[in-house]
């Protein structure tokens, strides 16, 4: 699929570098982080001296959601969205079943989403970068995007037929649902990767591996790995795990999150016990949630050396 030429140019947003490198762009397409996770990130010590390089691959398991909004033309936005929707299912299965040993950088994802034409790669740095992307993503996934020699009129997202022409300026509900899934998937698999490094002994036997994976999955709706992403997104907030608007709904997922983190070295001692509803504002639940969020976000930064993916608030518009 060849990328279309520019027609309407929007102002590029700030890149990940410079003084704003820790900030998400303030745009309607970008979802707001869950308040307690967002507060935890603001509080986190982002000193480079804390970073434990080399223990966890700092690459991105899924495209950064900002890549779909930080574009210079609407045609690029359409191309990025169409390529991701075309390759999404294959990539998700690869991450879950045959996870690559190295994950793409944001620039590698950009090269992929920008349509990789391996038949016309040059010897330029861009060409070399695209070969690296091809090696990481795999030929089948790249071909899923490249194979769109004739752009379809429609593509399916969450069981809904979406007009490809609408991807130039997609409706807000589409962007919110697609980016929410990317934030949630990234949070899930970064947590997975960290747990396997930090408490590797809990993944060392088949029985231990199954128990730990079950604990991890219990933090998310569906409790079954990628199968949870095969179902249509819920129409209400009640099914969104820790980010549910009701503490009564969120608490079981939150306590499972506490349980997982409690096995990590230097975990706050009060994460060892589940929180209880008190019927009077549930202050204990919120305090434990904030403690868990702060501990997770700081630990994730210490290993990744960059802003970790955190859950976002989602609602249909």
């Amino acid at each position: 699929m060849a990328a279309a030429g520019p027609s309407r140019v929007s102002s590029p947003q700030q890149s990940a570098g410079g003084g704003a490198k820790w900030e998400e762009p303030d745009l309607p397409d970008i979802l707001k982080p869950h308040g307690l996770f967002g507060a935890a990130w603001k509080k986190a010590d982002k000193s480079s001296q804390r970073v434990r390089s080399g223990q966890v691959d700092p690459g991105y398991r899924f495209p950064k959601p900002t890549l779909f909004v930080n574009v210079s033309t609407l045609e690029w936005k359409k191309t990025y969205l169409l390529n991701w929707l075309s390759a999404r299912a294959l990539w998700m299965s690869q991450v879950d079943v045959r996870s690559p040993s190295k994950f793409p950088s944001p620039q590698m994802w950009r090269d992929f989403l920008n349509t990789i034409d391996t038949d016309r790669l040059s010897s330029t740095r861009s060409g070399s970068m695209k070969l690296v992307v091809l090696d990481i993503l795999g030929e089948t996934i790249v071909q899923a995007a490249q194979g769109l020699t004739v752009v379809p009129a429609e593509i399916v997202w969450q069981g809904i037929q979406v007009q490809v022409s609408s991807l130039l300026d997609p409706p807000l509900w589409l962007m919110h649902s697609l980016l929410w899934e990317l934030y949630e998937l990234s949070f899930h698999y970064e947590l997975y990767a960290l747990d396997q490094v930090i408490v590797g002994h809990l993944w060392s036997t088949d029985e231990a591996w199954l128990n730990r994976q079950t604990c991890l999955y219990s933090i998310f709706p569906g409790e079954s790995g990628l199968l949870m992403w095969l179902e249509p997104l819920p129409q209400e907030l009640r099914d969104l795990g820790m980010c549910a608007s009701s503490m009564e709904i969120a608490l079981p997922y939150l306590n499972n999150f506490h349980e997982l983190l409690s096995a990590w070295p230097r975990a706050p001692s009060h994460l060892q016990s589940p929180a209880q509803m008190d019927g009077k504002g549930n202050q204990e639940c919120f305090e434990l949630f904030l403690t868990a969020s702060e501990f997770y976000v700081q630990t994730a930064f210490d290993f990744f050396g960059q802003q970790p993916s955190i859950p976002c608030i989602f609602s249909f518009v």
Side-chain angles (χ1 to χ4, degrees), residues 93-130:
S93 68
Q94 177 161 310
V95 168
D96 204 50
V97 179
R98 300 182 303 277
S99 186
S101 59
K102 181 178 174 59
F103 288 99
S105 67
Q107 183 57 52
M108 292 176 184
W109 275 116
R110 195 184 301 276
D111 284 338
F112 166 69
L113 296 171
N114 193 26
T115 306
I116 302 169
D117 186 350
T118 53
D119 292 333
R120 291 184 288 178
L121 286 174
S122 69
S123 58
T124 65
R125 180 179 180 278
S126 178
S128 299
M129 180 72 78
K130 290 181 179 182

Side-chain angles (χ1 to χ4, degrees), residues 58-121:
Y60 287 79
R61 285 140 187 83
F62 295 90
K64 288 189 68 174
T66 50
L67 289 178
F68 295 95
V69 298
N70 190 13
V71 293
S72 58
T73 72
L74 297 180
E75 283 78 8
W76 289 134
K77 188 170 192 173
K78 173 185 173 183
T79 299
Y80 286 14
L81 289 169
L82 183 56
N83 280 336
W84 172 244
L85 290 172
S86 302
R88 165 183 169 271
L90 278 171
W91 176 249
M92 286 168 64
S93 68
Q94 177 161 310
V95 168
D96 204 50
V97 179
R98 300 182 303 277
S99 186
S101 59
K102 181 178 174 59
F103 288 99
S105 67
Q107 183 57 52
M108 292 176 184
W109 275 116
R110 195 184 301 276
D111 284 338
F112 166 69
L113 296 171
N114 193 26
T115 306
I116 302 169
D117 186 350
T118 53
D119 292 333
R120 291 184 288 178
L121 286 174

Side-chain angles (χ1 to χ4, degrees), residues 42-223:
K42 288 182 180 179
K43 181 180 177 181
D45 180 355
K46 305 171 183 69
S47 169
S48 60
Q49 286 78 19
R50 298 186 60 97
V51 180
R52 304 170 65 174
S53 302
Q55 297 192 43
V56 180
D57 180 7
Y60 287 79
R61 285 140 187 83
F62 295 90
K64 288 189 68 174
T66 50
L67 289 178
F68 295 95
V69 298
N70 190 13
V71 293
S72 58
T73 72
L74 297 180
E75 283 78 8
W76 289 134
K77 188 170 192 173
K78 173 185 173 183
T79 299
Y80 286 14
L81 289 169
L82 183 56
N83 280 336
W84 172 244
L85 290 172
S86 302
R88 165 183 169 271
L90 278 171
W91 176 249
M92 286 168 64
S93 68
Q94 177 161 310
V95 168
D96 204 50
V97 179
R98 300 182 303 277
S99 186
S101 59
K102 181 178 174 59
F103 288 99
S105 67
Q107 183 57 52
M108 292 176 184
W109 275 116
R110 195 184 301 276
D111 284 338
F112 166 69
L113 296 171
N114 193 26
T115 306
I116 302 169
D117 186 350
T118 53
D119 292 333
R120 291 184 288 178
L121 286 174
S122 69
S123 58
T124 65
R125 180 179 180 278
S126 178
S128 299
M129 180 72 78
K130 290 181 179 182
L131 285 174
V132 173
V133 177
L134 178 63
D135 183 58
I136 292 174
L137 293 175
E139 186 132 6
T140 302
I141 290 171
V142 172
Q143 287 177 350
Q146 285 184 327
L148 298 173
T149 52
V150 177
V151 178
E154 294 182 333
I155 196 164
V156 177
W157 167 248
Q158 293 293 329
I160 300 172
Q161 296 286 340
V162 177
Q163 294 291 322
V164 169
S165 59
S166 74
L167 298 181
L168 281 168
D169 188 16
L172 201 55
W173 71 263
L174 175 63
M175 291 300 297
H176 278 187
S177 59
L178 190 151
L179 298 188
W180 178 85
E181 182 187 69
L182 284 173
Y183 279 116
E184 199 75 1
L185 281 166
S186 296
F187 172 61
H188 180 152
Y189 285 96
E190 286 177 14
L191 176 58
Y192 197 165
L194 283 169
D195 198 67
Q196 289 186 314
V197 168
I198 294 171
V199 287
H201 62 284
L202 297 180
W203 296 86
S204 59
T205 67
D206 289 345
E207 182 179 0
W209 183 91
L210 180 59
N211 290 338
R212 199 62 179 167
Q213 187 181 61
T214 299
C215 182
L216 175 79
Y217 287 168
S218 70
I219 297 169
F220 301 91
E223 302 185 8

